[in-house]
Amino acid sequence: MTPRAVRIAGGIAGLEGAAAVVVAVVLIVRQAAGHHEDAISGYGTAAWFAIMGSVVAAAGWALWTGRRWGRGIAVFANLLLLGVAWYVFTSGQLRYAVGVAAVSVAALGLLFSPSTLHWVARAGDQR
């Protein structure tokens, strides 16, 4: 049986992945509407967000449905989001930084909770 903490963490990861896919769509629409920046490619950045968002969303689905392989991806994504929160903080956007950090820390707390670690450790017992 999948622990509640794993399912909640899976929901968070799924929402994080969905948010990244939404960002990809916004970038594509902006680029198609004529917005241009010299430093980045709107389509290339959108592709990156679409790929990464899809992978994180898949990890969230995996955790939600009790598949252990999603945990590593979700942990990695949320560790990266802590770095994003720091960058946002140093850019002077305290509210956004606190929000991103809080979600990331909550997900990591769930992914490293005792019930989750026990669930992951039991994977070897089922062979």
Side-chain angles (χ1 to χ4, degrees):
M1 178 163 222
T2 307
R4 184 170 188 250
V6 173
R7 291 180 62 92
I8 294 170
I12 292 171
L15 291 173
E16 290 168 345
V21 171
V22 168
V23 169
V25 171
V26 168
L27 289 171
I28 289 170
V29 169
R30 285 182 59 189
Q31 186 75 27
H35 182 81
H36 177 72
E37 292 186 34
D38 293 329
I40 66 167
S41 163
Y43 293 124
T45 305
W48 187 89
F49 271 98
I51 292 166
M52 293 301 153
S54 297
V55 169
V56 173
W61 171 81
L63 290 170
W64 184 264
T65 58
R67 292 169 173 83
R68 289 168 176 84
W69 63 263
R71 183 176 174 269
I73 296 169
V75 167
F76 184 72
N78 281 285
L79 288 173
L80 288 177
L81 281 175
L82 283 177
V84 170
W86 177 254
Y87 173 77
V88 172
F89 172 73
T90 60
S91 298
Q93 300 294 326
L94 180 62
R95 253 186 285 166
Y96 295 121
V98 169
V100 171
V103 170
S104 180
V105 167
L108 288 168
L110 291 165
L111 291 166
F112 285 99
S113 70
S115 62
T116 301
L117 294 176
H118 182 69
W119 174 73
V120 170
R122 285 194 327 245
D125 296 342
Q126 296 175 355
R127 292 180 190 173

